[in-house]
């Protein structure tokens, strides 16, 4: 008789990662965007079912946190699986775009100040 965890999984997360506890790369943050490579590389080794699920979900760009939620897996496990796919050339990853301004928008700040003054 097989007994799963409370989430209904029959395979423990450490088994999905081959016992690995840390990703081999630091490319993935919660808001990094992942996309499957189309068409896939010619020399592709057979991947496990979780890798295939990730590739299906990444047909369109998706954030790492969203992938973890859709897969019902811890983010740390998803990051390890994503490293496997990235190293195999099956996905691309884009870091979050940082919006930085060197000078504040003075017009916006004045509008906020004026709005607060009316309160």
């Amino acid at each position: 008789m097989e007994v799963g965890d409370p989430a209904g999984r029959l395979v423990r997360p450490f088994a999905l990662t081959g016992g690995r506890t840390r990703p081999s790369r630091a490319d993935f943050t919660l808001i990094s965007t992942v996309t499957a490579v189309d068409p896939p590389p010619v020399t592709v080794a057979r991947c496990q079912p979780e890798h295939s699920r990730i590739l299906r979900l990444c047909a369109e760009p998706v954030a790492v946190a969203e992938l973890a939620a859709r897969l019902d897996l811890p983010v740390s496990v998803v990051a390890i699986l994503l490293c496997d796919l990235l190293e195999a050339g099956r996905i691309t990853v884009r870091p979050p775009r940082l919006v930085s301004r060197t000078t504040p928008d003075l017009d916006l700040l004045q509008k906020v100040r004026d709005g607060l003054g009316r309160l």
Side-chain angles (χ1 to χ4, degrees):
M1 180 171 145
E2 294 181 351
V3 178
D5 65 5
R9 290 183 292 260
L10 295 176
V11 178
R12 301 279 189 236
F14 67 84
L16 298 176
T17 64
R20 294 171 290 167
T21 58
R22 292 203 166 99
S24 58
R25 305 171 61 120
D27 295 280
F28 302 99
T29 65
L30 289 174
I31 57 176
S32 296
T33 306
V34 181
T35 309
V37 172
D38 187 33
V42 176
T43 56
V44 176
R46 181 176 161 92
C47 55
Q48 59 187 354
E50 289 73 22
H51 289 122
S52 297
R53 287 179 61 203
I54 289 171
L55 290 170
R56 279 193 302 276
L57 292 170
C58 292
E60 298 290 324
V62 63
V64 172
E66 173 123 4
L67 271 175
R70 288 184 181 180
L71 294 167
D72 193 28
L73 289 172
V75 173
S76 58
V77 171
V78 172
I80 292 169
L81 296 173
L82 287 171
C83 284
D84 296 343
L85 293 170
L86 184 63
E87 290 168 0
R90 303 287 308 269
I91 61 169
T92 59
V93 61
R94 290 185 57 196
R97 277 195 294 174
L98 299 176
V99 178
S100 65
R101 295 186 95 130
T102 56
T103 59
D105 185 344
L106 294 178
D107 186 45
L108 176 63
L109 290 174
Q110 287 175 345
K111 288 178 183 178
V112 170
R113 182 195 66 193
D114 293 344
L116 290 174
R118 292 184 199 140
L119 295 177

